[in-house]
């Protein structure tokens, strides 16, 4: 199952967006914008992020960086194993666009149950990433 966010316009150059998102310790700069009730037990370092969700603990680890266009993550702890990646493409010298993708190997029954929440979740993540000052 593959779920993609809508393509988002970012008012920053591709390299600036990549530099910010490829180092997860930059979450510290935007932590105050994340609603406390949405994210519990958020911990992170340069290469990983962990949160508690209603479905259980989730830990994502950066498994690939292709500067300046792509950052790949893999779930290390999760009720549902998945991969997640962020693609960043230049539009002009001062703007770029971004798309988020989740890929999970699930059977069709489970896929039917998780598709809508995952789609809503990926759009919320895209909303948050679009609001960052790069």
């Amino acid at each position: 199952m593959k779920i993609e966010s809508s393509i988002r316009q970012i008012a920053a150059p591709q390299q600036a967006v990549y530099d910010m998102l490829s180092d997860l310790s930059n979450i510290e700069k935007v932590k105050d914008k994340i609603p406390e009730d949405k994210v519990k037990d958020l911990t992170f370092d340069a290469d990983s992020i962990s949160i508690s969700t209603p479905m259980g603990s989730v830990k994502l680890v950066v498994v690939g960086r292709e500067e300046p266009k792509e950052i790949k993550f893999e779930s290390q702890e999760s009720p549902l194993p998945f991969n997640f990646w962020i693609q960043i493409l230049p539009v002009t010298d001062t703007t770029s666009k971004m798309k988020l993708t989740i890929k999970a190997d699930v059977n069709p029954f489970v896929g039917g149950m998780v598709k809508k929440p995952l789609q809503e979740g990926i759009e919320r993540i895209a909303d948050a990433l679009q609001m960052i000052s790069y």
Side-chain angles (χ1 to χ4, degrees):
M1 175 176 68
K2 189 171 169 182
I3 296 173
E4 297 178 333
S5 73
S6 54
I7 294 171
R8 304 302 183 97
Q9 300 299 318
I10 308 288
Q14 178 187 30
Q15 187 68 50
V17 177
Y18 176 86
D19 290 345
M20 177 74 154
L21 299 181
S22 64
D23 180 353
L24 296 179
S25 57
N26 285 323
I27 290 171
E28 192 62 50
K29 297 174 186 171
V30 297
K31 202 172 169 185
D32 58 331
K33 290 184 173 66
I34 304 168
E36 282 292 319
D37 61 323
K38 300 290 184 222
V39 179
K40 289 194 184 97
D41 306 322
L42 174 67
T43 58
F44 51 87
D45 57 31
D47 297 312
S48 70
I49 179 169
S50 298
I51 56 171
S52 290
T53 72
M55 291 172 31
S57 176
V58 175
K59 180 175 185 177
L60 288 175
V61 177
V62 175
V63 292
R65 291 179 174 96
E66 195 176 327
E67 190 171 350
K69 64 181 182 176
E70 190 171 72
I71 306 146
K72 291 184 175 181
F73 302 84
E74 194 171 274
S75 61
Q76 214 172 48
E77 293 168 23
S78 173
L80 176 73
F82 65 96
N83 291 344
F84 172 73
W85 60 99
I86 302 172
Q87 293 168 289
I88 310 152
L89 294 171
V91 176
T92 68
D93 288 346
T94 57
T95 63
S96 51
K97 58 186 178 181
M98 173 179 61
K99 181 172 78 173
L100 312 181
T101 306
I102 292 175
K103 186 169 182 230
D105 291 324
V106 294
N107 69 45
F109 178 73
V110 172
M113 292 191 307
V114 300
K115 186 171 176 100
K116 189 171 185 239
L118 285 176
Q119 186 70 55
E120 290 170 359
I122 202 170
E123 292 297 345
R124 273 196 235 113
I125 294 166
D127 289 344
L129 296 182
Q130 197 173 13
M131 292 187 306
I132 293 173
S133 303
Y134 295 97

